[in-house]
């Protein structure tokens, strides 16, 4: 988005580039007007890129979240046309999604030789990650390497243009402190072990060669590295979506009904947490009753302020499943601070992607809500950056 | 025009799906999907299909299977070594890639795929006005 402000000033003899304190590139154009006594200078601020970080273990719903997020902004995200078909990057009108696996410093054979997993920081080039994210944030295009998941090799780089919204998703978006400081908003998908096991079974049982034991062994083997390197990132996240087994069905081992908690950090700039009924109080709500009939096991909501890794947070929790459209709209009408542009927007977004996994429970609901919050954050950030140069001009 | 294109698509379906960027080519003689001479189609055996290459999902599935075997062998020796852990990590990575490939395949429609690359061809023309 380009912002132009027009200044009038006395004789200025040269054109030059000038970087203002709000870290935007401003270009001065000098034009001599013979019929006017003063010269007009037009300045344009380069587009501001908003950077969002999304962290989750493999197989935990990052792609679904990405599709929901890009859909909130409009348009479908697709791999870059005409490029490497195994590229992990997704580009839509407003957003570009970069997969942090592209910053692996060791390819698959390299990792096997050294005996490290992809979760290990030794397998990732954080310096390059920081350089390129910083460049994209300042509006400079970069040549980003491609990690090919099929062959396990690092392919030739692809050119990435700076987008309006840059999403970096992967295992380590918040691991490196410098990259963490570049993020405007960060999300962590925290899936409990039982749910992770159930999801991986659903994903992998259709594969030839996999058995229950191999899936279990794979999770167990990765767990130490995961707990050491990936899990600690959740303390830095602005929003954590925690997925746990349900409490509504005693001794449930199917894992179909989920309890999902949206943990939102208080005091984050441009981010106002969602609340139920009364901000800051503890509310427990079962919407099913006289006005709404739900089938077993029903829906249960909780909202409470809490403390998470020594931060003040607000937690909205949903346990259960949506069976019908009117349940969804009923719930939406009672949640506050959703940052929707019109009544029913959350429901509309959920219905648009009814075939995505999690569309009938809290995962889809909270992912959609976080998507709307990010849109709200983006609009506020842009509005703020626009007013800042104008104020500097007045001063 | 569109119906003929789709019916030709069905007749040469295998060829369309496996070929990368070539439009569906008909082997001579041209066979039209006319119901009144469907019976004669089976008698003429001059048509030969292009050989089917391994689909990308097949390639990844083979890799998954192989990597599981490798991991089990590596870990049979020493369950907590770095090699064992790296082997299972590879299994996880390939399973994720296989699942993404399956999802992509589920969504993709051969006609839409073709039209994305060749919007000017007859089958892909849209008339919106």
């Amino acid at each position: 988005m380009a912002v132009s402000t027009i200044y009038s000033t006395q004789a200025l003899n040269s054109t030059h580039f000038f970087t203002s304190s709000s870290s935007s590139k401003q270009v001065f154009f000098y034009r001599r007007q013979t019929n006017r006594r003063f010269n007009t200078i037009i300045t344009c601020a380069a587009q501001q890129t908003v950077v969002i970080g999304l962290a989750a273990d493999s197989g935990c719903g990052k792609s679904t979240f990405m599709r929901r997020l890009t859909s909130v902004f409009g348009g479908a995200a697709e791999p870059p046309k005409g490029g490497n078909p195994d590229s992990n990057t997704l580009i839509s009108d407003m957003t570009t999604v970069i997969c942090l696996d592209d910053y692996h410093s060791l390819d698959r054979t390299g990792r096997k030789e050294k005996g490290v997993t992809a979760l290990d920081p030794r397998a990732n080039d954080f310096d390059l990650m920081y350089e390129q994210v910083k460049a994209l944030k300042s509006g400079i295009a970069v040549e980003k390497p491609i990690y090919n998941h099929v062959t396990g090799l690092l392919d030739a780089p692809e050119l990435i243009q700076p987008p309006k919204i840059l999403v970096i998703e992967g295992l380590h978006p918040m691991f490196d402190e410098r990259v963490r400081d570049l993020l405007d908003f960060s999300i962590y998908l925290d899936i409990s072990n039982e749910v992770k096991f159930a999801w991986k079974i659903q994903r992998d049982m259709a594969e030839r060669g996999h058995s229950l034991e191999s899936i279990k062994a794979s999770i167990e083997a990765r767990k130490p590295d995961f707990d050491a390197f990936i899990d600690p990132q959740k303390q830095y996240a602005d929003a954590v979506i925690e997925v746990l087994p349900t409490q509504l069905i005693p001794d449930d081992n199917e894992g179909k009904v989920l309890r999902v908690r949206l943990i939102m950090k208080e005091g984050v700039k441009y981010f106002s947490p969602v609340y139920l009924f009364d901000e800051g109080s503890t509310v427990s709500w079962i919407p099913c009753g006289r006005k709404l009939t739900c089938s077993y096991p029903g829906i249960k909501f909780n909202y409470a302020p809490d403390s998470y890794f020594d931060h003040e947070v607000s937690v909205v929790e949903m346990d259960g499943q949506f069976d019908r459209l009117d349940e969804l709209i009923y719930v939406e009408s009672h949640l506050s601070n959703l940052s929707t542009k019109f009544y029913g927007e959350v429901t509309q977004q959920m219905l648009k992607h009814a075939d995505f996994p999690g569309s009938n429970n809290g995962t889809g609901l909270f992912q959609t809500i976080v998507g709307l919050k990010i849109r709200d954050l983006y609009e506020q950030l842009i509005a703020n950056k626009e007013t800042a140069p104008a104020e500097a001009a007045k001063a | 025009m569109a119906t003929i294109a789709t019916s030709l698509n069905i007749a040469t379906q295998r060829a369309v799906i496996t070929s990368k960027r070539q439009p569906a080519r008909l082997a001579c003689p041209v066979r039209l999907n006319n119901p009144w001479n469907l019976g004669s189609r089976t008698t003429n055996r001059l048509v030969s299909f292009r050989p089917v290459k391994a689909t990308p999902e097949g390639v990844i599935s083979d890799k998954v299977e192989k990597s599981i075997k490798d991991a089990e062998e590596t870990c049979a020796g020493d369950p907590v070594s770095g090699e064992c852990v790296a082997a299972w990590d590879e299994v996880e990575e390939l399973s994720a890639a296989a699942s993404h490939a399956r999802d992509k395949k589920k969504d993709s429609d051969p006609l839409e795929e073709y039209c994305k690359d060749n919007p000017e061809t007859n089958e892909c023309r849209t008339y919106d006005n």
Side-chain angles (χ1 to χ4, degrees), chain A residues 305-359:
Chain A
D306 203 350
S307 171
Y308 188 74
F309 288 103
D310 301 327
H311 288 294
E312 289 290 314
V313 295
S314 299
V315 183
V316 178
E317 184 183 311
M318 173 180 161
D319 197 350
Q321 279 184 192
F322 294 115
D323 284 318
R324 297 193 322 275
L325 170 63
D326 45 350
E327 291 172 11
L328 189 46
I329 208 100
Y330 190 81
V331 161
E332 183 183 347
S333 60
H334 287 85
L335 285 168
S336 312
N337 233 349
L338 286 171
S339 305
T340 49
K341 295 219 161 118
F342 52 85
Y343 174 69
E345 193 174 9
V346 173
T347 307
Q348 187 205 56
Q349 283 291 331
M350 295 271 284
L351 288 177
K352 203 157 63 147
H353 303 296
D355 54 328
F356 285 2
S359 296

Side-chain angles (χ1 to χ4, degrees), chain A residues 56-60 119 188-204 215 219 222-223 226-227 230-231 243-245 258, chain B residues 92:
Chain A
D57 193 11
S58 152
C60 291
L119 306 162
Y188 183 90
L189 293 178
D190 182 11
I191 318 291
S192 75
N193 295 320
E194 301 91 340
V195 177
K196 197 184 282 194
F197 188 35
W199 283 4
K200 293 212 169 159
I201 291 175
Q202 276 175 32
R203 186 191 74 179
D204 291 337
I215 297 174
I219 297 179
R222 295 170 87 243
K223 203 161 184 308
F226 178 77
D227 289 338
I230 314 298
D231 213 40
V243 183
L244 306 153
L258 297 170
Chain B
E92 169 61 38

